Amino acid sequence: MTTPVCISASTPAVPAGRPAAYPSFTAYVRARQPVLLRAARSLTANQSDAEDLLQTALVKTYAAWERIEDHRALDGYVRRALLNTRTSQWRKRKVDEFVCEELPEPEPADGAADPAEQQALRDALWRAVMKLPVRQRAMVVLRYYEDLSEAQTAEVLGVSVGTVKSAVSRALGKLRDDPELGRVR
């Protein structure tokens, strides 16, 4: 008969007919788990790593339960186990770094602009739009950012379609003449 290696969290680690080897350990874990999990969380990058780290430290604590003389200092023992385990994990991590003459930069695809330049253009365009008068800005945003038709824009703002056409035309003229956008082009 084989014993299952992996046990779900809802399944007790000890079979139903058999008492836990250390009931005081079970009581300790139930009482102190939130505090210990916060300590583990402070040592790791995310919640699941913290849970794994705490589980490993508790396994080490369980294995040494009989050797621990002062059970009033258990938090310190588990914290030390957390720290030692995390340090061991950090030391064992594999880092693939090597020195090279030139940084390996991907070649830009034909017609693809540099993402930094695209972001600079978007930022400059948005700053130029923010310089427009409120009414023109609203029409440009509805028309081009929200992709509404001229009729829909007119309906939203409660103006005529002709007003939208003329205001957007003037706004686009101001944007074309904006010196900040001229530098980015």
Side-chain angles (χ1 to χ4, degrees), residues 38-46 50 53 79 82-84 86:
R38 278 195 302 272
R41 182 65 179 97
S42 69
L43 297 171
T44 60
N46 62 44
L53 178 62
R79 283 190 184 103
L82 285 169
L83 187 59
N84 290 345
R86 183 65 185 132

Side-chain angles (χ1 to χ4, degrees), residues 108-138:
D110 292 336
D114 179 26
E117 290 176 12
Q118 289 176 338
Q119 185 62 46
L121 177 61
R122 280 192 293 271
D123 290 346
L125 182 58
W126 190 247
R127 282 192 301 273
V129 167
M130 294 305 289
K131 292 178 193 174
L132 294 173
V134 175
R135 189 171 174 183
Q136 286 180 354
R137 183 180 338 138

Side-chain angles (χ1 to χ4, degrees), residues 143-157:
R143 205 47 202 104
Y144 297 104
Y145 282 92
E146 296 295 324
D147 201 27
L148 297 181
S149 68
E150 291 168 340
Q152 291 170 323
T153 303
E155 184 180 330
V156 167
L157 296 176

Side-chain angles (χ1 to χ4, degrees), residues 46-110:
N46 62 44
Q47 184 69 21
S48 60
D49 288 344
E51 291 168 357
D52 291 344
L53 178 62
L54 178 59
Q55 185 69 29
T56 304
L58 288 175
V59 166
K60 291 179 179 181
T61 304
Y62 183 82
W65 193 254
E66 290 179 339
R67 294 189 315 264
I68 300 173
E69 293 175 13
D70 186 6
H71 282 230
R72 293 174 301 189
L74 283 172
D75 282 356
Y77 185 91
V78 175
R79 283 190 184 103
R80 176 49 72 184
L82 285 169
L83 187 59
N84 290 345
T85 303
R86 183 65 185 132
T87 302
S88 295
Q89 290 171 348
W90 180 80
R91 286 182 180 155
K92 289 178 185 175
R93 73 175 167 50
K94 184 178 178 185
V95 179
D96 293 329
E97 291 183 4
F98 50 90
V99 179
C100 61
E101 293 293 323
E102 200 171 309
L103 289 177
E105 295 288 332
E107 293 296 323
D110 292 336

